[in-house]
Structures are given as C-alpha cells and as structure tokens.
Amino acid sequence: MTRITAPFLDDPALKRVLAALSAEGAQALVVGGAVRNALLGEPVADVDIATSAPPEDSIRLAEASGLRAVPTGIEHGTVTIVAEGRGFEATTFRRDVETFGRRAVVAYSDRIEEDAQRRDFTMNALYADAAGQVLDPVGGLPDLARRRLRFVGDAETRIREDYLRILRFYRFLARYGREAELQALSACAALREGLRDISRERIGHEMRKLLDAPDPSRALALMAEAGVLPLVLPGADAGDMAELVAAEHDFGTGALPCWPRRLALLGAHDPAGALRLSRDEAREQDRIAQALALPAPEAAYRLGRRAAAQSVLIRAARGEPPPFGWCHAVAKGDQAQFPLAARDLMPDLSGPALGAALKRAETAWIDHDFALGRDQLRRIALEQDS
C-alpha cells in the first residue's frame, strides 16, 4: 500500500477538519493536487478535501467540533471549513446524472469510485486519508509513476464535459508529464473546435500556467501538431521554445517569471486579444516587441532593463548569441540619463530644427555607449545644424 508523509498531513488545522468530518463514520480525504504533488516530491500549495458526508452534514459536523462552516459553493456540494483562521474546501462526493458541456446535473454520492470518475486525469484522482494512506480508484498511481498523463475513463467524454480540459491536458503534460496517452492526444485534436466556445479569459488563464511550466516546449509542439495552438493563439510559432528554455538556464534567469517572455517568443498576431491580457501584460508584450528591434543597450535605455533582457534571450533562442558583457550593457542603458535638454540649444535653435538636433545628439550619445557629455552633445547638435 502507498502512503505519503507530506508535511501538510501534520497540520493541526487540517487534522481538526478531517477528524470533524469523519466523526460519525463518513470518509474525509485529501484529494487531487496535494496528493499528486506529495507523491512527486513537489511543493503543495492548496489542500482540498473530498468527503462522503452531504453538505448539510459537513456543516453540522464542523460546527459540532467548534469549527466555522461557510457554504461557499453549496450548489456544488462545497463547504469551506475554517480551522485556526484558515479555510479548507470540503466537497461532497458526486456523480454525474447528465452533462451539458461544462454544466452538469450531479447527485451526491457516498462512493469514492463515483467521485473519482468525475475528475479529469488519473493523476488528479488520487485520495489520501488522515494517516497518509493513498486510495487510487482509477489507476492513477501507475500513471503518476510513469509521468503518463491519461484522462479518467473515455478521453472524448471527459473533454466534452468541459473543452477547456484540452488546454489543461497540455498544461499538465508540460508541468508533470513525460508521456501522453495516444487516445488523449487524438481526442484533443479531434475536439479542438470546442475551444472556440470557451471564453478567452479561461483560455488565457490556462496558457499563462502552461507557459510558466519548467519546459513547455514539447507540450507546445504537440499543441501545434494537433491544430490547437493556432486555434487559441493565431500566428504562434513554438519552434524555438526549447532553445529559449536552454537560454534561460544558460544565463541564470530560469527562476524569473517567464511566461511573458515565452509568449513574446511565440510571435502570435494578437496575444493580448487572444488571451485577454491585462493592460499591464499587454504593455509588456509591446515593450518586448519594440526591444527586439533595437540593440540591447538602447532597448534598456528606451524601454527598461526587463524588456531589454527579455529581448536578448529571445534573440539567443533564434540563433543570435548575446554579445559579451550584455548584462552590464543592459544595466548601463537602463540607468543612462540623456544629459542634453532643449534649453541647452536655445535660442540658437527652435521648432522642428530643435527637435531634429536633439534626436541627432541622442543618437550619437547612444552610439558612443552613453559616454558623451553635455558640451560634446551640444557641439554635435549645433554643428550639424549649422
């Protein structure tokens, strides 16, 4: 039998919740990502609970143990139980009666096997009791050991329940998988048109997470092959993604937030519209695109250090090695302050001539590695205009 020994199982608050829910014999189990990540030795962010107790019993049992229960998703069987100032979502086992895309008619169940059949992937349908004993109703443990991503039951059925599961499939493949089930790949390709009915906000949420995986290159290549990538991100080309991931590690930037850089590499026609980027996210994409058209020091001066550094890595992925000392050059450009002002050229110049002279002087200053002083720049501006 498989057992996990993750630190979260020693959490007194979680122990109180599990003990309360199981006080009268109901099952109360940790489910999904916490169990999966514990088995993989990955960090655990959230702990979700599945229970055979109906929602009204969950509320009653929690309150009987001195805990507060909030019906945050009661229509879906979810109750948030607050212990020691923290909330834990406890959802009653469910089974599908009818499904209509993302919407479904469900009934509560007291059987873990029926609850597991509603979940997306076998590696996410793993449960653990308070002692860490793992329950595996759908064969998720062998899949997890092989890092094989497989839908629970029939892949097309799972996808038709929610077409966003196509993108979730590629995201989980990028983050946790080494092997993709062929039936799953075929189903994603065959049903990709269903993604047209998914909101761009939801698509953008999944794509951000996918691009933030340690190495999304293989998943993106499979998405392109299946016709999924051009559907959700028209114009995107993932051909250089593996090289970008290598460049990130080579230059020690792998720990930085990277999905904006990777999205910029893809070169999609309208990433902001396709993924419903926020105003700040869209601005960053624009800055990176502008930086790609400039030498790195000038990009840092005009657009900031971050955009310039992103552009250097993207160019490296596309076969343009970074120049020696580029980090220092980018830092210098970011800190540079143009020393010449319009008043320094007045009254000798005015109007369009003044603007043209300032621009020429600035160009010379950038070309000389930001080293020219105000007097030198003034002479350049006035001599060229005389």
Side-chain angles (χ1 to χ4, degrees):
M1 301 294 284
T2 301
R3 185 182 299 274
I4 57 175
T5 56
F8 70 81
L9 289 172
D10 297 322
D11 180 359
L14 176 63
K15 286 183 175 182
R16 287 187 65 189
V17 173
L18 295 176
L21 292 173
S22 59
E24 296 180 1
Q27 282 186 296
L29 307 166
V30 177
V31 65
V35 182
R36 177 199 65 227
N37 282 20
L39 288 163
L40 292 174
E42 300 258 359
V44 173
D46 299 310
V47 176
D48 294 321
I49 297 170
T51 178
S52 59
E56 60 273 15
D57 284 356
S58 295
I59 294 172
R60 177 179 58 81
L61 290 164
E63 293 176 344
S65 296
L67 304 175
R68 186 161 65 93
V70 184
T72 48
I74 197 71
E75 68 276 12
H76 304 296
T78 300
V79 175
T80 297
I81 300 174
V82 181
E84 302 186 15
R86 290 183 290 120
F88 296 85
E89 287 192 353
T91 303
T92 301
F93 293 164
R94 294 171 295 174
R95 60 182 175 84
D96 287 333
V97 177
E98 291 182 273
T99 59
F100 311 94
R102 194 181 178 202
R103 295 177 295 110
V105 176
V106 300
Y108 299 135
S109 172
D110 59 1
R111 298 184 61 231
I112 188 176
E113 294 82 6
E114 290 184 329
D115 187 70
Q117 287 296 326
R118 296 193 72 251
R119 299 186 179 271
D120 49 9
F121 311 117
T122 58
M123 64 170 59
N124 292 340
L126 296 168
Y127 303 73
D129 63 19
Q133 187 67 52
V134 176
L135 289 75
D136 180 15
V138 293
L141 282 172
D143 288 335
L144 191 64
R146 291 177 56 177
R147 295 291 188 108
R148 176 176 61 187
L149 191 62
R150 182 167 65 90
F151 281 99
V152 173
D154 179 67
E156 291 198 3
T157 300
R158 294 285 82 76
I159 290 172
R160 287 194 175 94
E161 290 167 355
D162 184 356
Y163 286 99
L164 192 68
R165 283 177 171 169
I166 294 174
L167 294 187
R168 282 177 59 82
F169 176 83
Y170 292 110
R171 170 164 72 88
F172 275 80
L173 184 64
R175 183 69 182 80
Y176 299 109
R178 296 196 188 103
E179 177 184 340
E181 184 191 38
L182 292 179
Q183 182 198 37
L185 290 171
S186 296
C188 289
L191 299 178
R192 65 184 181 275
E193 290 295 321
L195 286 166
R196 295 189 187 278
D197 296 325
I198 301 296
S199 73
R200 293 181 183 181
E201 288 81 1
R202 294 183 73 208
I203 288 174
H205 181 73
E206 288 296 323
M207 288 299 296
R208 286 174 179 85
K209 289 186 174 182
L210 191 157
L211 290 171
D212 241 350
D215 184 355
S217 55
R218 179 168 172 266
L220 288 166
L222 290 170
M223 287 176 69
E225 184 180 322
V228 173
L229 185 62
L231 191 151
V232 298
L233 204 52
D237 181 355
D240 294 323
M241 187 59 68
E243 287 75 13
L244 177 58
V245 172
E248 290 169 350
H249 288 287
D250 288 345
F251 296 105
T253 59
L256 295 175
C258 56
W259 74 259
R261 173 172 61 245
R262 292 169 175 182
L263 177 60
L265 173 82
L266 294 177
H269 298 323
D270 179 20
L275 305 183
R276 282 292 189 267
L277 301 183
S278 71
R279 188 173 301 174
D280 286 344
E281 291 168 344
R283 254 197 302 264
E284 180 168 18
Q285 291 299 303
D286 288 340
R287 283 195 294 267
I288 296 172
Q290 292 176 57
L292 284 166
L294 297 170
E298 183 177 356
Y301 163 64
R302 298 190 184 282
L303 302 161
R305 184 174 186 167
R306 178 178 172 84
Q310 308 283 47
S311 71
V312 169
L313 292 171
I314 291 171
R315 282 196 284 250
R318 292 173 175 169
E320 182 182 327
F324 178 76
W326 70 270
C327 286
H328 173 73
V330 164
K332 186 174 182 179
D334 181 52
Q335 296 166 9
Q337 297 287 328
F338 186 47
L340 192 68
R343 63 178 176 272
D344 298 319
L345 303 179
M346 298 167 62
D348 301 89
L349 298 176
S350 62
L354 174 59
L358 281 170
K359 185 175 181 180
R360 288 195 300 270
E362 184 183 45
T363 299
W365 176 68
I366 293 170
D367 290 344
H368 286 79
D369 197 26
F370 313 105
L372 299 179
R374 180 183 299 166
D375 291 342
Q376 292 171 295
L377 293 172
R378 188 175 186 278
R379 284 196 299 272
I380 290 171
L382 294 176
E383 286 171 0
Q384 292 195 22
D385 198 71
S386 58

